[in-house]
Amino acid sequence: MQWILARRRVAVTAGLVVVAVVVTALTASSVRDGVALGVALAVAITGVATLTIAGLREAHPVLARAALTVVVLDASLFATYFFSSITNFNLAIGAAMSIVLLGLSFLTGASGQISLGNSAFMGVGALAVAIWANHHASTPIVVTLLIAVVSGALVGLLLGLPATRLRGPYLAGMTLAFAVAFTAIVNSFSSWTGGDAGLQLPTAVTPPNWLSSLFNAQTSLLTVNTMWLADITIVVTGVAFFFMANLFASRTGRAMRLIRDNDVAAELVGVSLPRTRVIAFMVSSAYAALGGALWTLINNSVSPPTYSLALSITILSLVVIGGIGTIPGALIGGLIYAYSTNVISWFTAHTGINPQGNLASQLPGIIFGGLLILTMLFAPMGIVGAVRRLWAKRRVRSAT
Amino acid sequence: MDAFLTSRIISDILAGLTNGVIYGLVALSLVLVWRSTRILNFAQGAMPMFAAYVGMVVFAHELGYWPLVGISILAGFTVGGVTERVLVRHLYGKPEINPIVVMVGFLIVLEGVAAAIWSTTPRGIPNPFSPIDWQLGGKPVSLSPFSVYEIVTGLVVMTLIAVLFRFTKLGLQLRASALAPEVSRLLGVRVGRMLTLGWILSTGVGTICTVLVASNFFTGLTPQVMDGIFAFGFIAAAVGGLDSPVGAIVAGVSIGIILQFVGDYVNSNAIILTALIILIVSLMVRPNGLFTKSSARRV
Amino acid sequence: MIAVEELSVSYGAVQALRGVSFRAETGMITAVLGANGAGKTTLLRTISGLKEPVKGTITLDEHSLVRERPENIARLGVGHVPEGRGVISEFTVEENLRLGAMMAKVNLSDGLNEQYERFPVLGERRKQHAAKLSGGERQMLAMARALIAQPTVLLLDEPSLGLAPLVTAQLMHAIRDLCASKSLTVILVEQNATTALRISDYAVILYLGRVVANDAAANIVADEDLREHYLGKVE
């Protein structure tokens, strides 16, 4: 029996690897990208499969998560070496977005609250990095990112104070008001924030010299920089996901799920509602700020109007489509975001919609909104939920 | 007397009242839906916006202002009713984030579709009311024929809604369905229809409000015309209490006046910031709104 | 007359009623007795359409009530006074009554006057919010609200719950009179078997969703075994 299970797992893994390679070969913008992504995915999937098969997950969950993170990180970093700079750029943007998604996913999935202000929290982190860098240009990246995280958490705390006493709709409305107010707030402090025009970083984020010299022989500086940025983003994303996976499984995570399912019962067993809610909200804000900070590094500048209500709604859509409260869901959402522009322009090109017309410019909103409604009505747990349900059904069938 | 009427304070109060009536109407439309179906409708700005486009733009060349207003309101009723029947009906009894998410999705779909059909260029809506302030002794009073039209319409709509709910059989059934749906059904009230009617009324109120906003010479109709106003309307509804129509209107008007003073004496960027602070403080002091008596909560 | 045949109702995996059959005759009071969780409230909720049965039939005269909406069943003349009375406390006494009179064929003020005559205390407090009423007054209001619609069937769910014995006695007396004077079909769900049996013509005893006895009230009172097993002590 054990043997059959093992064989099935190997078969499934092999199948996934093949599918991943084929899909990447079809979608990647160049052959080299396709090969690199294919190899990376193959390594990642094999790694995941091997790690779960060993029963490590049950015995040492934290260790298993760490190993998993390292495997996926290694594979991704390896792949960035081969990617074109466009792919690396998309990947970096998507990875940073997946951090934001994870934050909201945690807030919504674990505590049942919803925030429409995450674009503004991203903006807080994005501006914090730029403002800091303009005053202290030589700060190490890690410190800069930490500053962004802390400022996101602090603003989150400020807004979260009344939120602790509120149930869903009020919080959603209040965070919506925050998202709408964000540009005006930025403009009120325009001597610091640069107003609508935003800020430039004084110096671009560059890799250390030894790395540049290692690559300069073969590639242009631009490519190395984009690759370096993608690598930084991927490592930060890995750390963020690792931390969140542990938080999901921790006592706090359990307390939050209890609140989501039944807040009265949660209070009866001694969970502090206000504290747990405010922590969830702060974590979500800090993650959004981290994502925004990475965007500033990647773009080398920050433009506050980017962080509009529309972005918040996009964030919400991606979380819902990926699967609320799931870790893979946030990754899927980030990937969708990274490639959504490409997919939508492909769609316009193949349906004969005038690319300069009104419809084409509105298509992203209409598609995301439509998917948001359809997902919520027909598959409220998103892609991950749907896959898990299919998986569970198969298991039940094979068990009987 | 003239000097008094044209003074800065009175000007601010009058201009604030005009805005406040608009916020009050949005807040009222939110309360109507919240009371009957316990859904905070994030598309409460977008649905009337769409109806206003249908009414005010499609037949703009054939008809005069008043017939267009009539068509808009009918379109608003239709949008509200159809949305409830097709979309919202599946959301009753689901976790409270589901309707929020769906209505947010509906918001961007409607805005996207409207922009795709009618573009994002503002549409001016010619109307019989001059937007130019009256003069007294050579100085402007902050009141124009158009703002009087806005204020009077707002007050009439609020009164009609109050009369409907207080004094008619239909209003009694609407209130009963909202408070105790099961008991109402046992007494023969067709609760399903009442919920639809709640959405129809709410979108109707929202449409009148949007038509007023769009008729304003200085704004015009755009797909996102209601986004900011929705935020203020929500703040008013939350401050007044989502369960209290009177609270929504009072809070809407007060917030309109307060923000006018802030905009005049501080600067325009401080307006929304102040609104946000009002919201946060009032939610900390009275989480269920200043005008809600009981804080009964479902367990 | 209401006829229930082979009625089964379940909540998910839990079967609340298993093949229940009985008849409630016109002009008679049929008591439905049994312990907590026997399925009494479920039975009433199924008759008035709030709960859909898995199988079985319910007929009122010649109308089938199964899978009919509660509001339509109410319009057929079934008045249901739910457990906990279902008085809308945000409404005044008069608003509650006006809501009840919504589909009555009679003139509103005649209807109101008739109820105020029957329950004078409601007339005195007509402008007050129902939240201010005592338990007994709420029960009267709930009854009056059902009666103002001129029902032919009255479903009463635990009317004596939380009432003082004297008030309960008065209430039971009123039910008895009403049933006789208006030739109503009354189904009276009670945990308090003693009180219910005193005014009932027939009684059905439910135990874990099954009918264990269905007989004239007098016979049930006489059957000591039954009383001991299912009803506790009945004096």
Side-chain angles (χ1 to χ4, degrees):
Chain A
M1 189 60 217
Q2 202 61 38
W3 179 76
I4 296 172
L5 269 181
R7 208 174 59 164
R8 178 172 293 161
R9 193 185 287 269
V10 170
V12 168
T13 312
L16 278 176
V17 168
V18 171
V19 170
V21 170
V22 170
V23 168
T24 47
L26 286 176
T27 55
S29 38
S30 75
V31 177
R32 225 169 73 138
D33 286 7
V35 172
L37 200 59
V39 172
L41 278 171
V43 172
I45 292 171
T46 320
V48 171
T50 334
L51 280 168
T52 44
I53 212 169
L56 185 65
R57 250 174 103 165
E58 281 74 30
H60 305 284
V62 178
L63 205 63
R65 279 180 217 121
L68 199 61
T69 315
V70 170
V71 168
V72 176
L73 274 187
D74 276 351
S76 317
L77 293 177
F78 163 76
T80 59
Y81 176 69
F82 299 95
F83 285 160
S84 65
S85 60
I86 298 169
T87 302
N88 271 336
F89 179 80
N90 282 342
L91 207 64
I93 291 282
M97 177 52 102
S98 71
I99 299 179
V100 181
L101 300 183
L102 189 60
L104 180 61
S105 191
F106 171 70
L107 177 72
T108 309
S111 73
Q113 289 174 294
I114 205 163
S115 163
L116 290 172
N118 279 36
S119 64
F121 287 113
M122 279 181 87
V124 169
L127 276 170
V129 164
I131 293 170
W132 185 266
N134 273 304
H135 290 87
H136 313 271
S138 58
T139 317
I141 286 183
V142 177
V143 178
T144 321
L145 289 178
L146 278 178
I147 288 166
V149 169
V150 170
S151 33
L154 285 180
V155 179
L157 176 65
L158 208 65
L159 252 86
L161 283 178
T164 59
R165 298 167 64 171
L166 302 178
R167 295 170 62 80
Y170 279 100
L171 183 69
M174 191 187 72
T175 49
L176 173 132
F178 179 52
V180 171
F182 182 68
T183 15
I185 297 172
V186 169
N187 277 320
S188 320
F189 302 99
S190 54
S191 56
W192 276 58
T193 60
D196 274 349
L199 292 171
Q200 289 280 325
L201 289 188
T203 49
V205 181
T206 46
N209 284 329
W210 59 267
L211 194 69
S212 316
S213 57
L214 196 68
F215 289 98
N216 264 349
Q218 305 155 16
T219 46
S220 76
L221 187 67
L222 178 73
T223 317
V224 177
N225 279 353
T226 333
M227 182 191 126
W228 173 241
L229 283 169
D231 287 351
I232 291 175
T233 315
I234 286 167
V235 170
V236 173
T237 310
V239 173
F241 271 71
F242 173 67
F243 178 73
M244 189 63 91
N246 288 312
L247 190 60
F248 259 95
S250 73
R251 248 183 78 98
T252 322
R254 282 202 306 274
M256 282 166 186
R257 279 192 292 278
L258 191 57
I259 289 180
R260 176 197 60 188
D261 296 337
N262 189 341
D263 54 1
V264 178
E267 260 185 322
L268 287 178
V269 298
V271 174
S272 157
L273 274 187
R275 213 189 57 198
T276 317
R277 278 201 175 135
V278 88
I279 289 175
F281 193 67
M282 278 174 73
V283 168
S284 143
S285 316
Y287 266 62
L290 181 58
L294 288 168
W295 272 20
T296 301
L297 297 184
I298 299 165
N299 288 314
N300 202 29
S301 66
V302 50
S303 159
T306 311
Y307 302 100
S308 62
L309 178 62
L311 182 63
S312 266
I313 297 179
T314 307
I315 294 172
L316 180 66
S317 311
L318 291 166
V319 169
V320 169
I321 293 166
I324 295 174
T326 66
I327 288 175
L331 273 181
I332 293 171
L335 273 177
I336 294 177
Y337 185 75
Y339 284 95
S340 60
T341 344
N342 292 7
V343 171
I344 288 171
S345 50
W346 177 85
F347 181 77
T348 25
H350 284 75
T351 44
I353 296 170
N354 173 13
Q356 258 76 51
N358 285 332
L359 181 57
S361 63
Q362 298 303 327
L363 218 48
I366 298 175
I367 291 176
F368 273 127
L371 284 176
L372 190 56
I373 297 173
L374 293 177
T375 314
M376 211 67 221
L377 287 180
F378 299 111
M381 286 314 288
I383 295 175
V384 172
V387 170
R388 277 187 190 162
R389 227 181 29 215
L390 283 180
W391 196 253
K393 251 187 210 161
R394 272 189 57 110
R395 257 200 201 158
V396 169
R397 209 179 306 148
S398 62
T400 49
Chain B
M1 188 63 192
D2 287 6
F4 173 71
L5 283 176
T6 54
S7 68
R8 195 174 177 185
I9 291 179
I10 294 299
S11 289
D12 283 344
I13 290 179
L14 289 175
L17 180 65
T18 318
N19 289 337
V21 167
I22 297 293
Y23 303 156
L25 281 180
V26 174
L28 179 64
S29 67
L30 282 171
V31 168
L32 287 179
V33 158
W34 173 262
R35 273 170 61 108
S36 59
T37 53
R38 294 284 134 184
I39 288 175
L40 181 58
N41 181 10
F42 280 88
Q44 191 61 59
M47 288 161 57
M49 174 278 296
F50 202 81
Y53 263 106
V54 170
M56 306 304 289
V57 176
V58 174
F59 302 102
H61 297 293
E62 288 87 22
L63 297 168
Y65 184 71
W66 297 112
L68 291 181
V69 171
I71 297 175
S72 301
I73 296 172
L74 287 181
F77 289 157
T78 315
V79 170
V82 170
T83 304
E84 198 275 341
R85 284 281 155 128
V86 176
L87 205 57
V88 180
R89 190 136 287 197
H90 307 284
L91 300 168
Y92 299 140
K94 295 276 163 65
E96 87 192 328
I97 63 161
N98 293 29
I100 298 179
V101 171
V102 170
M103 294 326 285
V104 167
F106 196 45
L107 155 77
I108 52 169
V109 168
L110 282 178
E111 285 186 357
V113 171
I117 303 176
W118 294 293
S119 92
T120 50
T121 320
R123 301 263 179 164
I125 297 187
N127 65 79
F129 301 98
S130 160
I132 302 181
D133 286 347
W134 278 301
Q135 303 268 322
L136 261 182
K139 289 176 80 185
V141 197
S142 208
L143 205 63
S144 63
F146 183 78
S147 52
V148 171
Y149 163 56
E150 280 188 306
I151 295 171
V152 170
T153 311
L155 295 180
V156 168
V157 169
M158 290 165 189
T159 316
L160 284 179
I161 293 286
V163 168
L164 172 69
F165 273 79
R166 277 289 133 210
F167 302 111
T168 67
K169 259 177 130 174
L170 192 61
L172 191 70
Q173 295 183 62
L174 281 164
R175 279 154 60 208
S177 308
L179 291 166
E182 192 168 272
V183 169
S184 305
R185 299 185 83 185
L186 289 180
L187 296 173
V189 177
R190 301 199 190 280
V191 173
R193 284 188 201 171
M194 293 303 131
L195 300 186
T196 313
L197 193 59
W199 277 72
I200 289 175
L201 281 175
S202 155
T203 317
V205 170
T207 305
I208 294 173
C209 175
T210 310
V211 166
L212 290 177
V213 173
S215 302
N216 190 327
F217 178 76
F218 301 105
T219 41
L221 184 57
T222 64
Q224 301 193 317
V225 69
M226 295 305 282
D227 278 6
I229 295 170
F230 172 84
F232 289 118
F234 165 75
I235 291 174
V239 169
L242 277 173
D243 268 311
S244 161
V246 179
I249 292 165
V250 173
V253 171
S254 329
I255 286 175
I257 293 173
I258 292 171
L259 295 183
Q260 188 66 35
F261 275 97
V262 171
D264 188 17
Y265 285 84
V266 190
N267 64 50
S268 62
N269 284 324
I271 292 178
I272 179 101
L273 194 57
T274 312
L276 198 60
I277 293 169
I278 293 177
L279 176 67
I280 292 175
V281 171
S282 89
L283 289 180
M284 284 176 80
V285 181
R286 291 288 302 264
N288 289 308
L290 301 176
F291 289 82
T292 306
K293 271 166 279 169
S294 64
S295 61
R297 197 176 64 174
R298 289 164 300 155
V299 174
Chain C
M1 181 202 65
I2 283 204
V4 173
E5 296 283 344
E6 288 299 318
L7 191 68
S8 294
V9 178
S10 53
Y11 294 93
V14 183
Q15 263 210 302
L17 294 178
R18 304 151 191 252
V20 169
S21 305
F22 74 97
R23 277 160 179 259
E25 302 290 344
T26 310
M28 306 273 182
I29 299 179
T30 308
V32 176
L33 309 171
N36 239 335
K40 306 185 300 284
T41 296
T42 304
L43 177 64
L44 289 198
R45 290 176 64 86
T46 314
I47 295 175
S48 59
L50 292 172
K51 179 81 191 140
E52 204 171 284
V54 178
K55 67 180 193 64
T57 60
I58 305 167
T59 42
L60 164 62
D61 302 328
E62 68 277 18
H63 300 281
S64 166
L65 301 187
V66 172
R67 268 172 278 281
E68 193 58 81
R69 290 160 180 267
E71 50 266 42
N72 293 335
I73 293 177
R75 281 158 193 259
L76 284 173
V78 177
H80 182 166
V81 181
E83 196 177 5
R85 290 140 199 152
V87 164
I88 301 182
S89 27
E90 290 89 343
F91 277 15
T92 62
V93 169
E94 189 151 313
E95 281 175 326
N96 268 293
L97 290 174
R98 272 172 55 205
L99 189 65
M102 202 65 68
M103 43 179 193
K105 301 285 179 291
V106 294
N107 176 295
L108 176 65
S109 58
D110 289 353
L112 285 175
N113 287 334
E114 189 194 334
Q115 298 311 321
Y116 291 151
E117 247 165 64
R118 182 174 291 128
F119 305 104
V121 63
L122 297 181
E124 290 159 23
R125 321 192 72 173
R126 64 176 82 177
K127 295 287 171 215
Q128 284 189 18
H129 280 270
K132 298 222 169 75
L133 300 183
S134 72
E137 289 162 347
R138 278 164 167 255
Q139 187 60 53
M140 287 178 205
L141 178 55
M143 294 268 293
R145 194 178 62 184
L147 290 172
I148 201 170
Q150 311 278 349
T152 54
V153 177
L154 199 55
L155 311 176
L156 300 171
D157 198 349
E158 304 271 6
S160 75
L161 197 73
L163 297 188
L166 192 64
V167 185
T168 307
Q170 283 173 350
L171 189 75
M172 292 296 159
H173 206 75
I175 295 172
R176 181 74 264 179
D177 286 350
L178 269 169
C179 180
S181 65
K182 303 221 158 195
S183 71
L184 290 172
T185 308
V186 177
I187 300 182
L188 171 65
V189 157
E190 265 296 342
Q191 225 173 313
N192 186 344
T194 318
T195 341
L197 284 171
R198 211 168 275 158
I199 61 160
S200 304
D201 303 290
Y202 290 94
V204 174
I205 299 177
L206 289 181
Y207 181 72
L208 297 179
R210 283 182 213 283
V211 176
V212 290
N214 179 3
D215 207 340
N219 295 347
I220 294 211
V221 173
D223 190 331
E224 275 186 35
D225 261 11
L226 213 54
R227 274 160 35 202
E228 206 168 304
H229 274 95
Y230 301 112
L231 302 177
K233 223 170 89 197
V234 175
E235 297 99 46

